[in-house]
Structures are given as C-alpha cells and as structure tokens.
Amino acid sequence: MTKQANTNKIIKTFDDFYNIIDIHQYKNISFHHHLRNGDYVLNMVLNHYLEKKVNNINLYPSAIFPSYSSILHLLENNQIDNITTNYCNGPVAEFISNNGLSGKLTMQTHGGRARSIIEGRSKIDIAYIAVPTCDPSGNAVGYLGNNRCGALGYPIADSLHASKVVLITDNIVDYVDSPEIKSENVDYIITIDSIGDKQGIISGTTQVTKNPIGVKIAKNTAKLMDELELIKPGFSFQSGAGGISLKVTDYVKETMKRQNIKASFFSGGITKYHVDMLEEGLVEKLYDVQCFDLEAVDSISRNTNHIPISASQYANPNDPLMVIKDLDIVILGATEIDYDFNVNVTTDSHGTIIGGSGGHSDTASEAKVTIIVSPLIKGRIPTVKKRVTTITTLGKNIDCFVTERGIAINPNRKDLLKKLLNSKLKIVPIEELAHIAHKYTNIPKEAKKRDKIIGEVEDRTLEIIDYLYLK
Amino acid sequence: MSRSYLFIPGNTPSMLQNLDVFESDAIIIDFEDSVLTYDKDAARILVKEFLTKFNFKEIEIFIRINDSESPFFKEDVLLTNDLNITGYVLPKALPSSIDQLLKITDKQIIPIIESPMAVLRLEEIARKDQIKGLLLGAEDLTKELNINRTLEGTEILFTRSKIVLTCNAYKIESIDTPYTSKDDEQGIYKDSLNASNLGFTSKSCIHPNHVDVINEVFSPSQEDIKQSLRIIKKAETNTKGAFSLDGKMVDAPIIEKAKRVIVQAKKYNLL
C-alpha cells in the first residue's frame, strides 16, 4: 500500500481531514486504550461518526473504558454493527450486555488481536492512533510529551496493517529517535490541543494491597512459589498491576534480595515497583507493552533495559519474537474459577460484561506456572463455581489457585503436586475450597442463562471458547 | 497462652467471617469503641448468630464488652454468656467492675488497664478470680494522664514494667497495648520487640496485618528451640541436678524454661 510522503501529513482539524477522505467509506476503525479513562481522542473521532450519521461501523478498540461515551451514543443510534476488543467495562459494557449488537461482540486477547490484524482477519480501514509525541513525518513514541502514557504496544499492529493510519497528537517535535510507530506507515497527522487527561491515563489500581485478606493471599502465593522453588536465578515473571499481584511482587523482591537472585525479565503491564527492581539490579530487562503509572512511563527514557514492545511481540503466538514464550511465572486474577480451573474475568455472575482477557489467556497459555490469586468469597459470592459464567481462560492453562483459606492445584500438574507432597501449606482440591466458601455463603442460585448469543470469546488460538449471552 | 490478640469490630460481617484467616492466636470481638451506640444491639445479634453457627477450636475468642458504667454492660454479657467463647475483655477495669462481671459470668476475664487508678491497684486486679491476663490500654491511659503517646513509648515504660512484674508474679498473661500506626511495618516490629524484651507474654493489635510480626516476635526463635532441645536431651541422660552445657551451668529453672520453649514451639508448629 502506498503511504503519504514524509511531507504534508499534518492536518489542522478533523473537518479538514474529513474533507480529504470520505468518512462513509471507512467503517472499520481502530483505537488503542493506552490513555485509558483519560482518552480524549476516541470520543473526539467518534463524535464525527455520530454527527455524520455513519452507519454499519465495525469498531476495533483494543479496550473500552467507562469514559468512552461516544460508543454508547453510537450504539443507542444503532450505528455500530460489530465490536472487536480485548476488554470492555462501564456503560458500553452494560449496554451491550442488555441490548446486544446488530452484529456481534468479539472478545479477543492482546496477543490474539495483534495476530488477527497481522494475519488479515481483522481488516482495519482507518487506525486512529493517539500519540503523545511525534515528529512531522509521523515517527511517534508514547513515553514523551505532556500527556505521555508509556509504551505504545497495542496500536503497532494497526499502524502496520490498516489501510489508513492517522496519528492524533498534541505534541509535534522536530525529530523522534527510535520510534514505536514509524513514519513510513503513517498517512496523516491531526493536531489537537490535548489528547487526554493525565489523571485518567494513570491506572488507579496500581497500589500494593494493604487489605488483610489480600495480604494473606499474597503471603500464601509467596510461600507456594518458595515451596515450588520458582524463584531462582534467571527466572522470568509477570504480575500485572492488581493490588494482590503487586504484594506478591513485593514478597518476591524480598526473597530475591535475601537469596541474592537476579531475574532475567519481567513482562506485561509495568509499574513503579517493577522499575524499582530494575534499578536495584534485581532484574535484567523489563518488556513493557503498557505502563500503569508515571514512574514506569518515565523509566523508559532513562533505562535502556526498560524496553517497549508491541502487542505482537508480547503475546502473538505466531510471532517468533514473542516474549512470553519464555515466561516462567505469571500471577493473574479471577472473577470466577470453576472445578476445571476455567477462569472468568469477562462477565460477572449475572452475565454482565465487566472486563475481558487482556493478556490473561495469553500469559496463562505460555507461562510455565500460572497462578490465580483471589479471595475465596467476594461480595458474599464464592469465587469457585462448578462452571464459570463465561470462560476467559481455559482451565488447562491454569495451574494453581491461591486463596486466603487454601490453595488448589490443577490435578493435571502432577509435577507440582509431587513437589508439594510435604507442604506446610493448605493444599486442597478446588471442590473443597468451594465447600469451605459455601459454609459461609450457601450455594448461590445460578443466574438464568438466556438463549440469545450476543458475542463470543475468541482465544489467541482463534478457537471460540465461549459465548456471551443477552441478559 | 496466646501470642497475639486481634481486636475486630463486632458489627462488621466481613471481619467476623475471616476471623480465623488472620492467624491471630486470640481474637477480641469488640462491642465497645468500634461499635457506635445505635449499632450495639446489631453487633450483639450478629456475633451471637455467627458464633452459634461457627465453632473455632484453634482460636481463643473473647468479647470486649462495654464498661460496667455503660447501659450495655449487662446485656452484652447476658446475650453472649452461653456462646463458645473463652471470656470477656473488660474496659476501664477496676476491682469493683471486675466484681460486677464476676457476678454474671464464670468465663475468663482480661481487664484493660487504662486508668491511673487501675495502674495503682494492679495487684488487687490481678488477684481476682478468673483473671486470664492484664491488657494495657495505653491510648486511654495517656489521655487521662494528659500526656502524648510516642512511638518510643517512654511515657508508658513504668506502667508496662509494672504490668509485666505483676502478671509474672500472679502467673497470668501480660498483654501489651496495640500499636496504632497501621502501615508502619518497622514501627510494629520495634514496638513488639520492645514489649517482648520487657517481659510481656503477648501483644494486642487493631490491624490484622500486625499479627504476623507479633507472632514472630513472641515465638521462640529457631536458635532458642535448638538449644532447648539440647538442654532437654542432656537433662534426660543426666543423673545430677545440674550440669554443664557449652561451658554454662544448667539447673532446674533452665530445664523448665527449655521445656516451656518446646511446648510453645509445638503449639505454634515451629518444630
């Protein structure tokens, strides 16, 4: 495909842009979610689709956050046919749960999304890419500029494969070195006053938990990792940004310092806690597909071993450079887990969409040991069920489930069970954990599952592993 | 003997539900300061229902009732006296209020020493029937004395020492005051170590995240356990009353102390 030359890419307004291209001809459109709840760009663009009454839109945002209100308005006007995303939370999620789409909702993984775009299954007409800094030719990075958000891992596949690539920025500099988005892939640059609100860009969840139940779960996880001898020289680790996961990371750090152990890499969403460990020499490299706080954002500029990577390099199973194929341990959360260790982080127990895989299934599939951490009872509802409401990650990829009242090991992992034969930890079958929870909650009545399918959960293997139903 | 005593509010189901998760040797379910007046009856009913349904064999459970001057005092006891609990923690304790409590329960009592008068009458209090131990309430005590609480605790050193001596003399537990900075991990460690060095047998806390540190500090160390096992082993084969180990004299009190260490180590799964 022929891209614009390196000059004349800059367009002053969206109106000018839509004078150049016919908005009605470009209905498969994508966005990234690095600016999270602070994103101004998605609403700004989609308001033009609203005003110009563009119908039959197929939307490919890497995630949908509560502030993405324009999607809700488009849905209310029935202007969107299909949505393909990795995560969906807030009013849009509620609307889809209650009303469905004229087409369908496809929930992919981060690696699966990149794969789908690269392999041509998701055909993007226009990739609208908010960038915190770019140069006039379209070289862009996410970790510089007033509204910096860190690594720009998610839209890289879009920038390489969309028919039109449009950068939207509030900061044009003379030259960008080592760009994440490369100028040869960029068609247009639209300049605006501000791409986002810094407060919303930073994830609000990135604090080590002080909740005593969370602390107990983290402590149990650390003990489990110790008994399984997982913390050893050169190990690799991913823990995400949840409070319990970060507390586990804290315990891992203590162990590493005590035993003088250095890790090879940490991957995934990166926080200040991971950066501290890099700067203390406890880990060789950070492979960063998205930053969760400003400390992580700013670390990219000063630490050469803090390496921004694309979603494909992070988790696309067909990418030969995939980082997580070498991942030893991943710590993940769960809204529900069932007797076959299938995990749900997509819907609540009533079937309302509340999230999605993100990198959950990707990392669980690849890591040598996948540990799920969760309170046994949440909001008076047991986390363990006979069958999860929605499968996000298949049980065959889950190895351990750690709660405050005991630990269940997937019976398929006989190697782990053997190592834990003389464990001081409370290792029990997952059914027994359910039984313990039921002593407090009784067995909750199942929400009635409806018949009408509104969407599907597509694993990174492209297999449809579950369906989403109209509430 | 318990190392840790964790206060949890009697009107918070999520805390009650997890009382066995926090790994505290003893739990004090609170009906007093953490429960507002309008919630007192709800707390009583909740705790009664909860403890009727769930039985905790491994944990000593106490209820901190409202003080004897309070209109809730009697009802707190009468509604819970038939529950499977170890006893009551009595706030603002004095000999007279303990007498009132003794009239309506035969369960164990832990008086809270939180007034200057209680400090002066420690022995009288310790001598009463059914007393399991004395708990220092330093916040209220320093408030009455109109002095500031400090992290170092020099203002309560005399009271702490007096409680330790009295409890030791009357062979009851001495329970140190809670450390109130809930996120200060270094602080809780230092404060616990200080109490342990002064001779307290246990420490109370108001945050579950303090339990681990308290249990660690009030447990015999691995070194103590190892040495105690050596002493006991040598004592078993020794025919004399006293003997030498590593150049140090070992006699009956030291052998008894070693036995106590091993009992504790077994109880807390440290062997």
Side-chain angles (χ1 to χ4, degrees):
Chain A
M1 113 191 29
T2 310
K3 294 286 176 184
Q4 296 283 317
N6 272 357
T7 53
N8 301 328
K9 287 184 181 177
I10 298 174
I11 296 171
K12 290 224 167 86
T13 68
F14 277 98
D15 288 332
D16 291 346
F17 176 62
Y18 292 120
N19 284 332
I20 299 169
I21 68 135
D22 178 4
I23 193 169
H24 293 273
Q25 298 302 312
Y26 298 91
K27 297 183 177 191
N28 296 352
I29 53 178
S30 76
F31 299 88
H32 69 73
H33 71 277
H34 286 285
L35 301 168
R36 286 186 274 274
N37 248 337
D39 190 320
Y40 290 167
V41 170
L42 181 138
N43 285 339
M44 213 177 277
V45 171
L46 289 182
N47 281 338
H48 288 273
Y49 282 76
L50 260 172
E51 281 168 24
K52 295 178 172 63
K53 295 187 170 35
V54 181
N55 290 319
N56 306 112
I57 298 167
N58 298 310
L59 207 56
Y60 294 89
S62 52
I64 296 173
F65 279 72
S67 66
Y68 300 0
S69 54
S70 56
I71 299 179
L72 186 64
H73 302 316
L74 286 164
L75 288 170
E76 285 163 349
N77 291 349
N78 202 22
Q79 289 174 252
I80 295 178
D81 285 353
N82 299 288
I83 297 180
T84 304
T85 189
N86 306 164
Y87 176 93
C88 188
N89 179 264
V92 171
E94 277 177 38
F95 183 93
I96 297 171
S97 303
N98 289 318
N99 301 282
L101 298 168
S102 57
K104 70 177 175 189
L105 172 68
T106 304
M107 298 297 293
Q108 296 179 321
T109 69
H110 284 332
R113 179 180 188 274
R115 175 184 181 175
S116 227
I117 293 170
I118 290 166
E119 294 178 6
R121 294 177 65 251
S122 296
K123 293 189 191 305
I124 314 288
D125 295 336
I126 301 182
Y128 291 101
I129 304 176
V131 292
T133 290
C134 72
D135 65 23
S137 61
N139 293 304
V141 289
Y143 53 87
L144 298 173
N146 190 41
N147 287 313
R148 57 197 180 277
C149 59
L152 277 181
Y154 300 122
I156 291 174
D158 309 46
S159 77
L160 292 167
H161 298 277
S163 303
K164 299 276 180 210
V165 174
V166 181
L167 304 188
I168 297 106
T169 190
D170 53 13
N171 187 39
I172 295 191
V173 296
D174 291 341
Y175 176 70
V176 167
D177 197 13
S178 307
E180 295 170 272
I181 307 286
K182 294 193 170 72
S183 61
E184 61 262 34
N185 302 313
V186 175
D187 298 290
Y188 303 102
I189 302 166
I190 300 175
T191 54
I192 58 174
D193 290 340
S194 176
I195 59 168
D197 168 15
K198 218 181 240 174
Q199 293 311 311
I201 292 170
I202 306 310
S203 172
T205 58
T206 55
Q207 292 296 321
V208 172
T209 188
K210 287 175 182 165
N211 175 296
I213 299 300
V215 170
K216 177 80 189 284
I217 295 166
K219 198 168 60 178
N220 284 347
T221 309
K223 285 179 187 166
L224 176 72
M225 287 163 65
D226 192 36
E227 290 198 9
L228 290 173
E229 298 170 320
L230 297 175
I231 312 296
K232 53 192 177 191
F235 79 107
S236 54
F237 182 68
Q238 180 165 332
S239 66
I244 300 176
S245 297
L246 287 176
K247 187 67 189 174
V248 175
T249 309
D250 211 29
Y251 283 129
V252 168
K253 182 179 177 178
E254 277 176 28
T255 306
M256 291 171 74
K257 278 180 148 177
R258 207 172 43 243
Q259 299 179 11
N260 200 21
I261 287 171
K262 187 166 187 173
S264 55
F265 72 85
F266 295 162
S267 57
I270 298 296
T271 69
K272 63 181 172 186
Y273 302 100
H274 303 100
V275 170
D276 285 347
M277 290 172 80
L278 176 74
E279 293 182 340
E280 286 177 45
L282 292 169
V283 56
E284 285 285 341
K285 288 185 171 111
L286 302 181
Y287 290 115
D288 185 349
V289 71
Q290 67 172 329
C291 295
F292 282 125
D293 55 34
L294 264 186
E295 288 86 344
V297 171
D298 292 338
S299 157
I300 296 177
S301 322
R302 68 171 185 269
N303 288 309
T304 49
N305 281 338
H306 184 163
I307 303 159
I309 55 171
S310 69
S312 177
Q313 195 187 343
Y314 170 52
N316 173 2
N318 286 346
D319 190 325
L321 298 176
M322 178 180 49
V323 162
I324 58 169
K325 71 176 186 300
D326 297 319
L327 187 59
D328 291 325
I329 312 154
V330 65
I331 311 290
L332 297 165
T335 306
E336 297 174 335
I337 185 166
D338 67 26
Y339 291 0
D340 294 322
F341 287 78
N342 296 307
V343 169
N344 172 23
V345 291
T346 304
T347 59
D348 67 14
S349 54
H350 298 284
T352 305
I353 298 159
I354 54 165
S357 181
H360 199 286
S361 178
D362 292 316
T363 47
S365 304
E366 297 291 344
K368 292 180 186 70
V369 178
T370 298
I371 301 173
I372 301 294
V373 292
S374 172
L376 186 58
I377 299 167
K378 285 192 282 199
R380 295 179 292 164
I381 298 172
T383 308
V384 189
K385 301 181 76 175
K386 263 189 187 167
R387 172 62 60 195
V388 290
T389 309
T390 307
I391 299 175
T392 308
T393 298
L394 291 167
K396 66 179 181 183
N397 296 319
I398 305 295
D399 303 311
C400 315
F401 173 48
V402 182
T403 76
E404 71 280 21
R405 289 186 179 274
I407 297 169
I409 306 292
N410 190 327
N412 295 333
R413 289 304 301 261
K414 293 191 171 46
D415 55 332
L416 301 184
L417 285 164
K418 194 176 166 191
K419 271 195 168 179
L420 295 167
L421 266 181
N422 298 315
S423 174
K424 283 186 175 175
L425 293 161
K426 187 175 175 185
I427 311 288
V428 293
I430 197 162
E431 294 84 354
E432 191 175 327
L433 285 179
H435 178 67
I436 293 169
H438 294 160
K439 280 200 289 188
Y440 293 93
T441 63
N442 285 330
I443 302 172
K445 215 167 127 184
E446 284 294 319
K448 201 174 165 191
K449 211 163 193 172
R450 313 281 174 168
D451 299 331
K452 191 177 174 199
I453 292 171
I454 56 168
E456 54 198 25
V457 181
E458 180 186 289
D459 207 0
R460 63 206 295 266
T461 56
L462 310 182
E463 181 192 356
I464 302 303
I465 56 174
D466 209 346
Y467 294 95
L468 298 158
Y469 294 87
L470 191 72
K471 271 185 80 183
Chain B
M1 186 178 296
S2 292
R3 297 164 296 180
S4 45
Y5 285 81
L6 171 65
F7 283 91
I8 62 171
N11 59 345
T12 311
S14 60
M15 291 294 280
L16 284 173
Q17 174 189 297
N18 288 308
L19 66 78
D20 57 331
V21 167
F22 302 131
E23 295 182 1
S24 185
D25 295 339
I27 295 284
I28 303 172
I29 299 172
D30 189 23
F31 285 174
E32 199 213 15
D33 286 350
S34 63
V35 180
L36 295 173
T37 303
Y38 68 79
D39 226 11
K40 300 279 188 193
D41 53 348
R44 270 189 231 114
I45 293 164
L46 177 66
V47 169
K48 189 175 172 68
E49 291 292 325
F50 181 72
L51 292 179
T52 303
K53 181 161 184 190
F54 294 97
N55 198 4
F56 300 97
K57 286 178 193 153
E58 309 284 322
I59 305 168
E60 291 190 315
I61 295 182
F62 293 85
I63 293 175
R64 175 163 76 168
I65 50 178
N66 288 280
D67 70 83
S68 65
E69 302 287 308
S70 141
F72 309 111
F73 170 72
K74 270 194 178 167
E75 212 172 337
D76 285 350
V77 179
L78 294 177
L79 209 82
T80 55
N81 206 22
D82 59 345
L83 294 175
N84 192 12
I85 58 171
T86 308
Y88 293 103
V89 172
L90 179 66
K92 301 181 180 60
L94 283 172
S96 56
S97 61
I98 295 169
D99 288 339
Q100 286 187 59
L101 185 54
L102 285 169
K103 281 182 195 161
I104 51 176
T105 186
D106 55 2
K107 294 190 187 300
Q108 295 189 339
I109 298 169
I110 298 176
I112 306 185
I113 307 304
E114 52 188 341
S115 68
M117 186 56 76
V119 177
L120 291 177
R121 299 178 72 179
L122 269 189
E123 273 200 71
E124 265 184 86
I125 291 172
R127 272 202 303 265
K128 293 282 180 192
D129 291 339
Q130 298 163 225
I131 300 295
K132 179 175 167 67
L134 304 182
L135 193 157
L136 171 59
E139 300 308 312
D140 280 17
L141 178 67
T142 50
K143 207 164 63 188
E144 282 213 27
L145 290 168
N146 200 22
I147 53 176
N148 291 327
R149 279 283 280 125
T150 65
L151 290 181
E152 297 76 25
T154 44
E155 70 284 356
I156 54 169
L157 178 59
F158 170 74
T159 308
R160 273 177 157 167
S161 304
K162 192 173 179 192
I163 287 177
V164 165
L165 282 172
T166 309
C167 291
N168 192 282
Y170 287 93
K171 298 195 176 358
I172 56 176
E173 290 182 35
S174 48
I175 308 159
D176 191 34
T177 189
Y179 184 73
T180 52
S181 301
K182 77 177 174 68
D183 295 332
D184 181 359
E185 290 176 18
Q186 289 294 318
I188 176 64
Y189 181 75
K190 280 184 190 166
D191 198 49
S192 302
L193 202 59
N194 187 18
S196 172
N197 288 339
L198 282 170
F200 275 96
T201 58
S202 338
K203 187 168 176 65
S204 57
C205 56
I206 51 173
H207 198 281
N209 290 354
H210 289 182
V211 171
D212 260 6
V213 173
I214 293 173
N215 284 349
E216 185 195 325
V217 170
F218 285 89
S219 294
S221 67
Q222 282 303 319
E223 209 175 299
D224 287 341
I225 294 168
K226 207 169 142 189
Q227 185 65 1
S228 298
L229 286 170
R230 288 181 70 215
I231 290 169
I232 292 165
K233 194 176 174 187
K234 186 143 187 192
E236 281 168 359
T237 54
N238 189 63
T239 50
K240 296 175 193 168
F243 56 87
S244 170
L245 186 67
D246 303 331
K248 287 179 184 167
M249 187 60 74
V250 175
D251 55 10
I254 292 175
I255 297 166
E256 280 310 306
K257 191 181 166 198
K259 284 179 180 169
R260 282 201 301 273
V261 167
I262 298 307
V263 168
Q264 263 198 313
K266 279 182 183 161
K267 182 176 176 185
Y268 301 129
N269 211 11
L270 301 170
L271 279 178

